[in-house]
């Protein structure tokens, strides 16, 4: 072109004109922008965040052609539920009966933008149970990578069984995955779900009481006020500490905890509930 025409900044203008061609931008594949790896908020308890997705269409086996897959973000406990179709009613019923009824209502459900999960029926089930549904962005399976990676493992294990009736091999496959020792924590998924719960204390705390009512207390947990029934609370008993000539009382009523009660040492001479006088041992007298 520059052999026949010339003007000032001809190369720059031709380059900008070619770059702005919409048809070329639609048809030619260039280097895509790669975003930085995101960080997910780590759940602090089991079955609070669950990822769900669908597998299929699979070869028919016992009338089933699809699988609803669910995995817990904290413990990695997985479920693969065979279903005949992927309608919103069937998917919602399978998730409710096989997951919610067994492990409770999750605080958050992460899924893609499939029409089954965006249907009003599925959203109504989640709303009734009190769960929040979070959808990933379109054509970006990395957002739901927790369950997408499970699909690869499941399919590979089912193929290794070499059984066209994949519904018969599926329970054995899930057993193997749950019983395999994870090298990062040296525990199996089954141990994290069924054995480690026995070692957890039944109470948490102590927490500061914000307001007191007859039936519940408003306590401060992680800078948030939460209403807790008095049937689930117990008072915390703390040791007295001297701080700038100000002494805190034993058994503060503004704390809720599972700490054991620490009884103060009796005076040199005091009386029991039965009227009997008691004295301190000599070694404790001043």
């Amino acid at each position: 072109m520059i052999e026949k025409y010339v003007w000032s900044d001809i190369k720059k203008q031709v380059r900008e004109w070619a770059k702005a061609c919409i048809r070329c931008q639609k048809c030619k594949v260039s280097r895509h922008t790669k975003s930085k790896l995101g960080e997910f908020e780590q759940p602090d308890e089991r079955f609070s965040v669950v990822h769900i997705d669908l597998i299929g269409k699979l070869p028919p086996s016992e009338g089933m052609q699809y699988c609803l897959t669910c995995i817990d973000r904290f413990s990695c406990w997985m479920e693969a539920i065979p279903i005949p179709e992927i309608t919103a009613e069937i998917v919602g019923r399978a998730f409710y009966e096989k997951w919610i009824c067994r492990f409770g209502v999750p605080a958050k459900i992460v899924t893609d933008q499939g029409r089954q999960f965006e249907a009003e029926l599925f959203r109504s089930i989640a709303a009734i149970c009190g769960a929040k549904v979070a959808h990933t962005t379109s054509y970006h399976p990395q957002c739901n990578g927790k369950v997408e990676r499970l699909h690869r493992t499941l399919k590979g294990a089912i193929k290794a069984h070499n059984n066209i009736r994949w519904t018969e091999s599926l329970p054995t496959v899930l057993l193997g995955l749950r019983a395999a020792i994870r090298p990062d924590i040296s525990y199996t998924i089954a141990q994290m779900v069924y054995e480690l719960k026995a070692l957890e204390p039944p109470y948490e705390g102590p927490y500061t009481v914000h307001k007191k009512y007859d039936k519940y207390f408003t306590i401060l947990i992680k800078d948030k006020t939460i209403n807790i029934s008095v049937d689930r609370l117990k008072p915390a008993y703390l040791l007295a500490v001297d701080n700038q000539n100000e002494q805190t009382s034993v058994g503060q009523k503004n704390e809720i905890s599972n700490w054991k009660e620490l009884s103060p040492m009796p005076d040199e001479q005091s009386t029991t509930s039965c009227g009997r006088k008691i004295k301190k041992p000599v070694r404790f007298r001043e």
Side-chain angles (χ1 to χ4, degrees), residues 140-173:
H140 195 229
Q142 294 91 329
C143 294
N144 207 13
K146 189 74 173 179
V147 69
E148 294 289 353
R149 183 60 181 84
L150 173 64
H151 293 173
R152 177 180 175 182
T153 305
L154 276 176
K155 291 178 180 179
I158 292 174
K159 292 177 183 178
H161 279 256
N162 194 24
N163 186 2
I164 193 63
R165 297 173 66 89
W166 54 270
T167 52
E168 297 178 353
S169 304
L170 187 59
T172 305
V173 170

Side-chain angles (χ1 to χ4, degrees), residues 46-252:
R46 288 165 289 186
F47 305 114
S48 60
V49 180
V50 58
H51 298 254
I52 64 176
D53 201 1
L54 293 168
I55 300 179
K57 194 174 186 178
L58 302 174
S61 175
E62 298 179 345
M64 306 297 178
Q65 300 184 82
Y66 300 89
C67 256
L68 172 64
T69 53
C70 316
I71 185 169
D72 173 39
R73 184 187 293 181
F74 182 86
S75 63
C76 295
W77 180 271
M78 73 284 293
E79 289 286 346
I81 308 165
I83 53 178
E85 297 293 338
I86 52 174
T87 62
E89 181 179 359
I90 294 177
V91 172
R93 180 184 295 273
F95 181 67
Y96 176 79
E97 294 178 351
K98 303 298 184 181
W99 186 274
I100 294 180
C101 292
R102 292 181 59 191
F103 306 113
V105 180
K108 188 176 182 180
I109 303 173
V110 182
T111 181
D112 56 18
Q113 297 186 11
R115 56 184 178 86
Q116 302 84 7
F117 306 120
E118 290 189 334
E120 185 64 26
L121 176 61
F122 186 84
R123 300 182 69 89
S124 299
I125 294 175
I128 293 173
C129 295
K132 179 182 178 181
V133 181
H135 296 284
T136 63
T137 55
S138 302
Y139 303 103
H140 195 229
Q142 294 91 329
C143 294
N144 207 13
K146 189 74 173 179
V147 69
E148 294 289 353
R149 183 60 181 84
L150 173 64
H151 293 173
R152 177 180 175 182
T153 305
L154 276 176
K155 291 178 180 179
I158 292 174
K159 292 177 183 178
H161 279 256
N162 194 24
N163 186 2
I164 193 63
R165 297 173 66 89
W166 54 270
T167 52
E168 297 178 353
S169 304
L170 187 59
T172 305
V173 170
L174 293 175
L175 173 63
L177 295 176
R178 297 165 183 164
I181 297 178
R182 298 174 62 88
D184 52 343
I185 58 175
S186 300
Y187 282 96
T188 65
I189 297 175
Q191 287 177 320
M192 293 186 63
V193 173
Y194 292 109
E195 295 184 10
L196 298 183
K197 187 174 181 181
L199 301 179
E200 296 178 354
Y203 289 90
E204 297 179 355
Y207 298 118
T208 303
V209 174
H210 185 66
K211 291 182 180 179
K212 296 189 297 182
Y213 300 94
D214 294 337
K215 290 293 186 180
Y216 65 92
F217 281 13
T218 302
I219 63 178
L220 196 63
I221 301 178
K222 296 181 180 179
D223 299 329
K224 295 181 179 180
T225 56
I226 300 177
N227 297 330
I228 304 294
S229 173
V230 294
D231 298 332
R232 300 182 58 194
L233 301 176
K234 63 185 301 186
Y237 294 88
L238 308 178
L239 287 173
V241 179
D242 290 330
N243 185 13
Q244 297 180 358
N245 299 326
E246 294 181 0
Q247 188 176 24
T248 58
S249 61
V250 178
Q252 295 181 6

Side-chain angles (χ1 to χ4, degrees), residues 21-55:
C21 178
I22 301 299
R23 184 65 180 177
C24 294
Q25 296 180 60
K26 290 182 178 180
C27 299
K28 295 181 179 179
V29 178
S30 58
R31 185 177 60 181
H32 296 283
T33 303
K34 293 184 178 181
S35 60
K36 296 181 180 180
L37 293 177
E39 294 183 0
F40 288 96
E41 181 181 357
Q42 294 295 333
D44 54 0
E45 58 182 352
R46 288 165 289 186
F47 305 114
S48 60
V49 180
V50 58
H51 298 254
I52 64 176
D53 201 1
L54 293 168
I55 300 179

Side-chain angles (χ1 to χ4, degrees), residues 12-22 24-25 28:
K12 178 181 178 181
Q13 295 182 16
V14 169
R15 184 168 58 251
E16 292 177 352
W17 173 83
K19 186 184 296 185
C21 178
I22 301 299
C24 294
Q25 296 180 60
K28 295 181 179 179

Side-chain angles (χ1 to χ4, degrees), residues 266-279:
D267 297 333
E268 184 175 354
Q269 182 173 352
S270 59
T271 305
T272 65
S273 58
C274 299
R276 186 175 57 182
K277 295 182 179 181
I278 59 175
K279 295 182 180 181

